[in-house]
């Protein structure tokens, strides 16, 4: 992927056998939109994922085997829209999540194993839309949440 230096949009949706992305994925420095919807075998994202500094929109909805996001996720400084709807194995978000200063819209509906939001969630001062519907395991929200 490192040779695709001009790539701005990538749609890999419904690549049902895709289990992982290469470490070189983070070299897509001008990538703005990434659609991985319905990549039902995707297990993890590489640590280099946080190097996608131009990424604005990320759709990981229905990535039913994705259990966590890399710690580098908070480095996605341009990320505005994130869809994690029906990521059934996702149990937590990294603490670095609160560093996503540009984030405006987050969809977490039907993340049935998600038990909590990170304490840093309240730092998302630009957040305009949050969907936590059907997140049946969330018992409470972090105190920082009320600072939004």
């Amino acid at each position: 992927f490192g040779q695709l230096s001009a790539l701005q949009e990538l749609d890999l949706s419904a690549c049902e056998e895709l289990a992982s992305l290469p470490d070189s994925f983070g070299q897509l420095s001008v990538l703005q939109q990434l659609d991985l919807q319905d990549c039902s075998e995707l297990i993890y994202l590489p640590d280099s994922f946080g190097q996608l500094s131009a990424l604005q929109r990320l759709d990981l909805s229905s990535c039913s085997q994705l259990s966590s996001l890399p710690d580098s996720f908070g480095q996605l400084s341009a990320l505005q829209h994130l869809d994690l709807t029906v990521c059934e194995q996702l149990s937590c978000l990294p603490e670095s999540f609160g560093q996503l200063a540009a984030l405006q819209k987050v969809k977490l509906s039907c993340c049935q194993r998600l038990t909590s939001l990170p304490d840093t969630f309240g730092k998302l001062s630009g957040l305009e839309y949050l969907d936590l519907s059907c997140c049946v395991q969330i018992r409470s929200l972090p105190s920082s949440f009320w600072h939004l």
Side-chain angles (χ1 to χ4, degrees), residues 51-92:
Q51 296 172 12
L52 300 174
S53 57
L55 191 64
Q56 297 173 7
R57 293 179 175 268
L58 175 59
D59 189 345
L60 290 165
S61 60
S62 298
C63 290
S64 55
Q65 297 302 312
L66 186 68
S67 60
S68 64
L69 299 174
D71 290 334
S72 66
F73 202 80
Q75 297 171 15
L76 299 174
S77 57
L79 191 64
Q80 297 173 2
H81 297 260
L82 174 62
D83 192 345
L84 291 165
T85 303
V86 195
C87 288
E88 296 169 342
Q89 298 299 317
L90 188 67
S91 59
C92 64

mmCIF file of all heavy atoms in Angstrom, residues 51-92:
data_model
loop_
_atom_site.group_PDB
_atom_site.id
_atom_site.type_symbol
_atom_site.label_atom_id
_atom_site.label_comp_id
_atom_site.label_asym_id
_atom_site.label_seq_id
_atom_site.Cartn_x
_atom_site.Cartn_y
_atom_site.Cartn_z
ATOM 1 N N GLN A 51 -1.118 6.581 11.732
ATOM 2 C CA GLN A 51 -0.347 7.455 10.839
ATOM 3 C C GLN A 51 -1.196 8.022 9.703
ATOM 4 O O GLN A 51 -0.710 8.828 8.920
ATOM 5 C CB GLN A 51 0.849 6.695 10.270
ATOM 6 C CG GLN A 51 1.839 6.271 11.319
ATOM 7 C CD GLN A 51 2.910 5.341 10.752
ATOM 8 O OE1 GLN A 51 3.052 5.174 9.548
ATOM 9 N NE2 GLN A 51 3.651 4.710 11.639
ATOM 10 N N LEU A 52 -2.454 7.621 9.627
ATOM 11 C CA LEU A 52 -3.346 8.124 8.567
ATOM 12 C C LEU A 52 -3.824 9.523 8.956
ATOM 13 O O LEU A 52 -4.989 9.759 9.244
ATOM 14 C CB LEU A 52 -4.529 7.167 8.376
ATOM 15 C CG LEU A 52 -4.180 5.740 7.966
ATOM 16 C CD1 LEU A 52 -5.422 4.861 7.949
ATOM 17 C CD2 LEU A 52 -3.506 5.724 6.597
ATOM 18 N N SER A 53 -2.909 10.474 8.925
ATOM 19 C CA SER A 53 -3.154 11.807 9.476
ATOM 20 C C SER A 53 -4.191 12.623 8.700
ATOM 21 O O SER A 53 -4.733 13.593 9.233
ATOM 22 C CB SER A 53 -1.851 12.593 9.559
ATOM 23 O OG SER A 53 -1.243 12.674 8.278
ATOM 24 N N ALA A 54 -4.506 12.258 7.463
ATOM 25 C CA ALA A 54 -5.490 12.992 6.674
ATOM 26 C C ALA A 54 -6.882 12.342 6.726
ATOM 27 O O ALA A 54 -7.849 12.911 6.195
ATOM 28 C CB ALA A 54 -5.038 13.099 5.218
ATOM 29 N N LEU A 55 -7.000 11.191 7.380
ATOM 30 C CA LEU A 55 -8.262 10.440 7.385
ATOM 31 C C LEU A 55 -9.371 11.236 8.076
ATOM 32 O O LEU A 55 -9.230 11.638 9.225
ATOM 33 C CB LEU A 55 -8.068 9.091 8.080
ATOM 34 C CG LEU A 55 -9.219 8.098 7.941
ATOM 35 C CD1 LEU A 55 -9.408 7.689 6.480
ATOM 36 C CD2 LEU A 55 -8.971 6.863 8.797
ATOM 37 N N GLN A 56 -10.474 11.448 7.346
ATOM 38 C CA GLN A 56 -11.605 12.211 7.866
ATOM 39 C C GLN A 56 -12.817 11.342 8.153
ATOM 40 O O GLN A 56 -13.577 11.622 9.072
ATOM 41 C CB GLN A 56 -12.001 13.308 6.871
ATOM 42 C CG GLN A 56 -10.922 14.330 6.643
ATOM 43 C CD GLN A 56 -11.279 15.298 5.538
ATOM 44 O OE1 GLN A 56 -12.385 15.304 5.003
ATOM 45 N NE2 GLN A 56 -10.332 16.132 5.168
ATOM 46 N N ARG A 57 -13.018 10.301 7.346
ATOM 47 C CA ARG A 57 -14.182 9.423 7.494
ATOM 48 C C ARG A 57 -13.726 7.970 7.523
ATOM 49 O O ARG A 57 -12.992 7.536 6.656
ATOM 50 C CB ARG A 57 -15.166 9.613 6.339
ATOM 51 C CG ARG A 57 -15.833 10.958 6.327
ATOM 52 C CD ARG A 57 -16.789 11.077 5.122
ATOM 53 N NE ARG A 57 -17.505 12.321 5.185
ATOM 54 C CZ ARG A 57 -18.682 12.484 5.761
ATOM 55 N NH1 ARG A 57 -19.285 11.459 6.305
ATOM 56 N NH2 ARG A 57 -19.268 13.662 5.793
ATOM 57 N N LEU A 58 -14.221 7.257 8.530
ATOM 58 C CA LEU A 58 -13.863 5.845 8.680
ATOM 59 C C LEU A 58 -15.120 5.055 8.995
ATOM 60 O O LEU A 58 -15.814 5.349 9.963
ATOM 61 C CB LEU A 58 -12.840 5.676 9.808
ATOM 62 C CG LEU A 58 -12.444 4.251 10.178
ATOM 63 C CD1 LEU A 58 -11.857 3.503 8.987
ATOM 64 C CD2 LEU A 58 -11.455 4.269 11.336
ATOM 65 N N ASP A 59 -15.404 4.070 8.153
ATOM 66 C CA ASP A 59 -16.560 3.199 8.363
ATOM 67 C C ASP A 59 -16.072 1.786 8.642
ATOM 68 O O ASP A 59 -15.518 1.129 7.772
ATOM 69 C CB ASP A 59 -17.468 3.217 7.132
ATOM 70 C CG ASP A 59 -18.795 2.512 7.362
ATOM 71 O OD1 ASP A 59 -18.920 1.762 8.367
ATOM 72 O OD2 ASP A 59 -19.710 2.695 6.548
ATOM 73 N N LEU A 60 -16.248 1.372 9.883
ATOM 74 C CA LEU A 60 -15.911 0.011 10.307
ATOM 75 C C LEU A 60 -17.171 -0.748 10.710
ATOM 76 O O LEU A 60 -17.082 -1.767 11.403
ATOM 77 C CB LEU A 60 -14.938 0.060 11.489
ATOM 78 C CG LEU A 60 -13.518 0.533 11.196
ATOM 79 C CD1 LEU A 60 -12.777 0.881 12.472
ATOM 80 C CD2 LEU A 60 -12.764 -0.511 10.401
ATOM 81 N N SER A 61 -18.325 -0.268 10.287
ATOM 82 C CA SER A 61 -19.576 -0.898 10.695
ATOM 83 C C SER A 61 -19.656 -2.343 10.213
ATOM 84 O O SER A 61 -19.173 -2.687 9.139
ATOM 85 C CB SER A 61 -20.783 -0.104 10.175
ATOM 86 O OG SER A 61 -20.785 -0.032 8.770
ATOM 87 N N SER A 62 -20.213 -3.171 11.052
ATOM 88 C CA SER A 62 -20.395 -4.604 10.782
ATOM 89 C C SER A 62 -19.078 -5.353 10.592
ATOM 90 O O SER A 62 -19.036 -6.365 9.898
ATOM 91 C CB SER A 62 -21.328 -4.827 9.583
ATOM 92 O OG SER A 62 -22.603 -4.297 9.857
ATOM 93 N N CYS A 63 -18.017 -4.850 11.194
ATOM 94 C CA CYS A 63 -16.769 -5.613 11.279
ATOM 95 C C CYS A 63 -16.911 -6.445 12.551
ATOM 96 O O CYS A 63 -16.391 -6.093 13.613
ATOM 97 C CB CYS A 63 -15.560 -4.686 11.333
ATOM 98 S SG CYS A 63 -15.238 -3.835 9.773
ATOM 99 N N SER A 64 -17.636 -7.515 12.437
ATOM 100 C CA SER A 64 -18.127 -8.249 13.603
ATOM 101 C C SER A 64 -17.041 -8.965 14.401
ATOM 102 O O SER A 64 -17.283 -9.356 15.539
ATOM 103 C CB SER A 64 -19.214 -9.231 13.188
ATOM 104 O OG SER A 64 -18.741 -10.085 12.160
ATOM 105 N N GLN A 65 -15.843 -9.131 13.856
ATOM 106 C CA GLN A 65 -14.754 -9.794 14.592
ATOM 107 C C GLN A 65 -13.754 -8.803 15.200
ATOM 108 O O GLN A 65 -12.870 -9.206 15.952
ATOM 109 C CB GLN A 65 -14.010 -10.768 13.677
ATOM 110 C CG GLN A 65 -14.866 -11.907 13.172
ATOM 111 C CD GLN A 65 -15.464 -12.718 14.305
ATOM 112 O OE1 GLN A 65 -14.775 -13.112 15.238
ATOM 113 N NE2 GLN A 65 -16.756 -12.961 14.234
ATOM 114 N N LEU A 66 -13.893 -7.537 14.883
ATOM 115 C CA LEU A 66 -12.970 -6.518 15.399
ATOM 116 C C LEU A 66 -13.186 -6.353 16.897
ATOM 117 O O LEU A 66 -14.260 -5.958 17.336
ATOM 118 C CB LEU A 66 -13.210 -5.190 14.669
ATOM 119 C CG LEU A 66 -12.247 -4.058 14.968
ATOM 120 C CD1 LEU A 66 -10.854 -4.385 14.424
ATOM 121 C CD2 LEU A 66 -12.757 -2.761 14.345
ATOM 122 N N SER A 67 -12.166 -6.674 17.685
ATOM 123 C CA SER A 67 -12.345 -6.665 19.138
ATOM 124 C C SER A 67 -11.746 -5.441 19.818
ATOM 125 O O SER A 67 -12.101 -5.119 20.950
ATOM 126 C CB SER A 67 -11.760 -7.935 19.758
ATOM 127 O OG SER A 67 -10.388 -8.022 19.468
ATOM 128 N N SER A 68 -10.825 -4.755 19.148
ATOM 129 C CA SER A 68 -10.213 -3.567 19.744
ATOM 130 C C SER A 68 -9.656 -2.667 18.647
ATOM 131 O O SER A 68 -9.524 -3.080 17.498
ATOM 132 C CB SER A 68 -9.103 -3.960 20.713
ATOM 133 O OG SER A 68 -8.060 -4.603 20.018
ATOM 134 N N LEU A 69 -9.323 -1.453 19.049
ATOM 135 C CA LEU A 69 -8.687 -0.493 18.154
ATOM 136 C C LEU A 69 -7.264 -0.267 18.672
ATOM 137 O O LEU A 69 -7.031 -0.317 19.877
ATOM 138 C CB LEU A 69 -9.459 0.825 18.158
ATOM 139 C CG LEU A 69 -10.915 0.742 17.694
ATOM 140 C CD1 LEU A 69 -11.614 2.085 17.881
ATOM 141 C CD2 LEU A 69 -10.998 0.303 16.245
ATOM 142 N N PRO A 70 -6.300 0.003 17.785
ATOM 143 C CA PRO A 70 -4.925 0.190 18.251
ATOM 144 C C PRO A 70 -4.790 1.451 19.104
ATOM 145 O O PRO A 70 -5.560 2.409 18.945
ATOM 146 C CB PRO A 70 -4.122 0.299 16.947
ATOM 147 C CG PRO A 70 -5.105 0.755 15.927
ATOM 148 C CD PRO A 70 -6.429 0.163 16.326
ATOM 149 N N ASP A 71 -3.811 1.465 19.986
ATOM 150 C CA ASP A 71 -3.556 2.647 20.817
ATOM 151 C C ASP A 71 -3.245 3.871 19.965
ATOM 152 O O ASP A 71 -3.533 4.998 20.367
ATOM 153 C CB ASP A 71 -2.395 2.385 21.777
ATOM 154 C CG ASP A 71 -2.771 1.397 22.868
ATOM 155 O OD1 ASP A 71 -3.977 1.297 23.193
ATOM 156 O OD2 ASP A 71 -1.870 0.730 23.394
ATOM 157 N N SER A 72 -2.701 3.660 18.783
ATOM 158 C CA SER A 72 -2.360 4.768 17.882
ATOM 159 C C SER A 72 -3.600 5.439 17.297
ATOM 160 O O SER A 72 -3.492 6.473 16.631
ATOM 161 C CB SER A 72 -1.472 4.256 16.740
ATOM 162 O OG SER A 72 -2.186 3.355 15.902
ATOM 163 N N PHE A 73 -4.781 4.898 17.562
ATOM 164 C CA PHE A 73 -6.020 5.419 16.991
ATOM 165 C C PHE A 73 -6.211 6.904 17.315
ATOM 166 O O PHE A 73 -6.724 7.660 16.508
ATOM 167 C CB PHE A 73 -7.216 4.605 17.504
ATOM 168 C CG PHE A 73 -8.425 4.689 16.639
ATOM 169 C CD1 PHE A 73 -8.529 3.931 15.493
ATOM 170 C CD2 PHE A 73 -9.475 5.534 16.962
ATOM 171 C CE1 PHE A 73 -9.646 4.003 14.681
ATOM 172 C CE2 PHE A 73 -10.594 5.616 16.163
ATOM 173 C CZ PHE A 73 -10.683 4.848 15.017
ATOM 174 N N GLY A 74 -5.786 7.321 18.477
ATOM 175 C CA GLY A 74 -5.932 8.713 18.894
ATOM 176 C C GLY A 74 -5.109 9.691 18.074
ATOM 177 O O GLY A 74 -5.297 10.905 18.172
ATOM 178 N N GLN A 75 -4.212 9.193 17.238
ATOM 179 C CA GLN A 75 -3.382 10.046 16.392
ATOM 180 C C GLN A 75 -4.092 10.447 15.100
ATOM 181 O O GLN A 75 -3.533 11.202 14.304
ATOM 182 C CB GLN A 75 -2.069 9.337 16.059
ATOM 183 C CG GLN A 75 -1.220 9.059 17.279
ATOM 184 C CD GLN A 75 -0.035 8.158 16.949
ATOM 185 O OE1 GLN A 75 0.324 7.946 15.794
ATOM 186 N NE2 GLN A 75 0.568 7.598 17.978
ATOM 187 N N LEU A 76 -5.304 9.961 14.886
ATOM 188 C CA LEU A 76 -6.058 10.303 13.670
ATOM 189 C C LEU A 76 -6.623 11.712 13.824
ATOM 190 O O LEU A 76 -7.822 11.917 13.995
ATOM 191 C CB LEU A 76 -7.175 9.270 13.438
ATOM 192 C CG LEU A 76 -6.721 7.832 13.222
ATOM 193 C CD1 LEU A 76 -7.918 6.893 13.153
ATOM 194 C CD2 LEU A 76 -5.882 7.718 11.958
ATOM 195 N N SER A 77 -5.755 12.694 13.729
ATOM 196 C CA SER A 77 -6.085 14.076 14.088
ATOM 197 C C SER A 77 -7.133 14.731 13.193
ATOM 198 O O SER A 77 -7.782 15.690 13.612
ATOM 199 C CB SER A 77 -4.818 14.932 14.098
ATOM 200 O OG SER A 77 -4.178 14.871 12.831
ATOM 201 N N ALA A 78 -7.355 14.231 11.985
ATOM 202 C CA ALA A 78 -8.336 14.823 11.075
ATOM 203 C C ALA A 78 -9.684 14.092 11.096
ATOM 204 O O ALA A 78 -10.642 14.542 10.464
ATOM 205 C CB ALA A 78 -7.788 14.835 9.646
ATOM 206 N N LEU A 79 -9.777 12.986 11.833
ATOM 207 C CA LEU A 79 -10.982 12.154 11.815
ATOM 208 C C LEU A 79 -12.206 12.924 12.315
ATOM 209 O O LEU A 79 -12.203 13.458 13.414
ATOM 210 C CB LEU A 79 -10.776 10.896 12.656
ATOM 211 C CG LEU A 79 -11.856 9.822 12.526
ATOM 212 C CD1 LEU A 79 -11.902 9.267 11.106
ATOM 213 C CD2 LEU A 79 -11.615 8.691 13.518
ATOM 214 N N GLN A 80 -13.246 12.965 11.481
ATOM 215 C CA GLN A 80 -14.473 13.684 11.802
ATOM 216 C C GLN A 80 -15.657 12.747 12.006
ATOM 217 O O GLN A 80 -16.510 13.004 12.841
ATOM 218 C CB GLN A 80 -14.815 14.681 10.683
ATOM 219 C CG GLN A 80 -13.783 15.756 10.501
ATOM 220 C CD GLN A 80 -14.060 16.614 9.284
ATOM 221 O OE1 GLN A 80 -15.058 16.442 8.574
ATOM 222 N NE2 GLN A 80 -13.182 17.546 9.010
ATOM 223 N N HIS A 81 -15.732 11.684 11.213
ATOM 224 C CA HIS A 81 -16.863 10.757 11.253
ATOM 225 C C HIS A 81 -16.347 9.331 11.433
ATOM 226 O O HIS A 81 -15.516 8.865 10.654
ATOM 227 C CB HIS A 81 -17.686 10.848 9.960
ATOM 228 C CG HIS A 81 -18.304 12.180 9.738
ATOM 229 N ND1 HIS A 81 -19.610 12.448 10.022
ATOM 230 C CD2 HIS A 81 -17.789 13.343 9.281
ATOM 231 C CE1 HIS A 81 -19.882 13.708 9.746
ATOM 232 N NE2 HIS A 81 -18.778 14.274 9.293
ATOM 233 N N LEU A 82 -16.887 8.658 12.438
ATOM 234 C CA LEU A 82 -16.483 7.290 12.740
ATOM 235 C C LEU A 82 -17.723 6.431 12.940
ATOM 236 O O LEU A 82 -18.589 6.764 13.744
ATOM 237 C CB LEU A 82 -15.635 7.261 14.012
ATOM 238 C CG LEU A 82 -15.235 5.888 14.563
ATOM 239 C CD1 LEU A 82 -14.380 5.122 13.560
ATOM 240 C CD2 LEU A 82 -14.504 6.043 15.883
ATOM 241 N N ASP A 83 -17.804 5.335 12.190
ATOM 242 C CA ASP A 83 -18.935 4.417 12.308
ATOM 243 C C ASP A 83 -18.422 3.051 12.743
ATOM 244 O O ASP A 83 -17.694 2.385 12.022
ATOM 245 C CB ASP A 83 -19.675 4.307 10.980
ATOM 246 C CG ASP A 83 -21.018 3.600 11.104
ATOM 247 O OD1 ASP A 83 -21.258 2.942 12.137
ATOM 248 O OD2 ASP A 83 -21.823 3.705 10.162
ATOM 249 N N LEU A 84 -18.800 2.664 13.960
ATOM 250 C CA LEU A 84 -18.455 1.355 14.523
ATOM 251 C C LEU A 84 -19.719 0.538 14.807
ATOM 252 O O LEU A 84 -19.694 -0.376 15.622
ATOM 253 C CB LEU A 84 -17.638 1.530 15.803
ATOM 254 C CG LEU A 84 -16.226 2.089 15.631
ATOM 255 C CD1 LEU A 84 -15.651 2.571 16.956
ATOM 256 C CD2 LEU A 84 -15.314 1.058 15.010
ATOM 257 N N THR A 85 -20.805 0.872 14.149
ATOM 258 C CA THR A 85 -22.074 0.194 14.348
ATOM 259 C C THR A 85 -21.930 -1.316 14.125
ATOM 260 O O THR A 85 -21.284 -1.749 13.173
ATOM 261 C CB THR A 85 -23.135 0.758 13.373
ATOM 262 O OG1 THR A 85 -23.239 2.159 13.585
ATOM 263 C CG2 THR A 85 -24.478 0.111 13.569
ATOM 264 N N VAL A 86 -22.502 -2.101 14.993
ATOM 265 C CA VAL A 86 -22.523 -3.563 14.919
ATOM 266 C C VAL A 86 -21.113 -4.173 14.858
ATOM 267 O O VAL A 86 -20.872 -5.123 14.136
ATOM 268 C CB VAL A 86 -23.408 -4.087 13.755
ATOM 269 C CG1 VAL A 86 -23.711 -5.574 13.927
ATOM 270 C CG2 VAL A 86 -24.707 -3.323 13.643
ATOM 271 N N CYS A 87 -20.192 -3.593 15.617
ATOM 272 C CA CYS A 87 -18.893 -4.244 15.833
ATOM 273 C C CYS A 87 -19.087 -5.069 17.096
ATOM 274 O O CYS A 87 -18.767 -4.630 18.212
ATOM 275 C CB CYS A 87 -17.783 -3.204 15.978
ATOM 276 S SG CYS A 87 -17.374 -2.391 14.422
ATOM 277 N N GLU A 88 -19.633 -6.236 16.919
ATOM 278 C CA GLU A 88 -20.143 -7.049 18.019
ATOM 279 C C GLU A 88 -19.080 -7.512 19.007
ATOM 280 O O GLU A 88 -19.390 -7.780 20.164
ATOM 281 C CB GLU A 88 -20.887 -8.259 17.456
ATOM 282 C CG GLU A 88 -22.116 -7.853 16.666
ATOM 283 C CD GLU A 88 -22.710 -9.004 15.876
ATOM 284 O OE1 GLU A 88 -22.008 -10.017 15.650
ATOM 285 O OE2 GLU A 88 -23.880 -8.874 15.482
ATOM 286 N N GLN A 89 -17.829 -7.618 18.582
ATOM 287 C CA GLN A 89 -16.760 -8.077 19.476
ATOM 288 C C GLN A 89 -16.004 -6.929 20.142
ATOM 289 O O GLN A 89 -15.189 -7.165 21.029
ATOM 290 C CB GLN A 89 -15.772 -8.960 18.709
ATOM 291 C CG GLN A 89 -16.378 -10.225 18.144
ATOM 292 C CD GLN A 89 -16.931 -11.128 19.224
ATOM 293 O OE1 GLN A 89 -16.327 -11.343 20.259
ATOM 294 N NE2 GLN A 89 -18.129 -11.651 18.992
ATOM 295 N N LEU A 90 -16.265 -5.713 19.729
ATOM 296 C CA LEU A 90 -15.555 -4.559 20.281
ATOM 297 C C LEU A 90 -15.925 -4.379 21.745
ATOM 298 O O LEU A 90 -17.078 -4.126 22.079
ATOM 299 C CB LEU A 90 -15.906 -3.297 19.484
ATOM 300 C CG LEU A 90 -15.116 -2.043 19.814
ATOM 301 C CD1 LEU A 90 -13.652 -2.215 19.411
ATOM 302 C CD2 LEU A 90 -15.708 -0.841 19.094
ATOM 303 N N SER A 91 -14.941 -4.529 22.632
ATOM 304 C CA SER A 91 -15.232 -4.480 24.063
ATOM 305 C C SER A 91 -14.788 -3.181 24.726
ATOM 306 O O SER A 91 -15.256 -2.855 25.808
ATOM 307 C CB SER A 91 -14.599 -5.673 24.774
ATOM 308 O OG SER A 91 -13.204 -5.674 24.571
ATOM 309 N N CYS A 92 -13.870 -2.453 24.081
ATOM 310 C CA CYS A 92 -13.425 -1.187 24.665
ATOM 311 C C CYS A 92 -12.840 -0.293 23.581
ATOM 312 O O CYS A 92 -12.502 -0.748 22.494
ATOM 313 C CB CYS A 92 -12.404 -1.430 25.765
ATOM 314 S SG CYS A 92 -10.872 -2.172 25.187
#
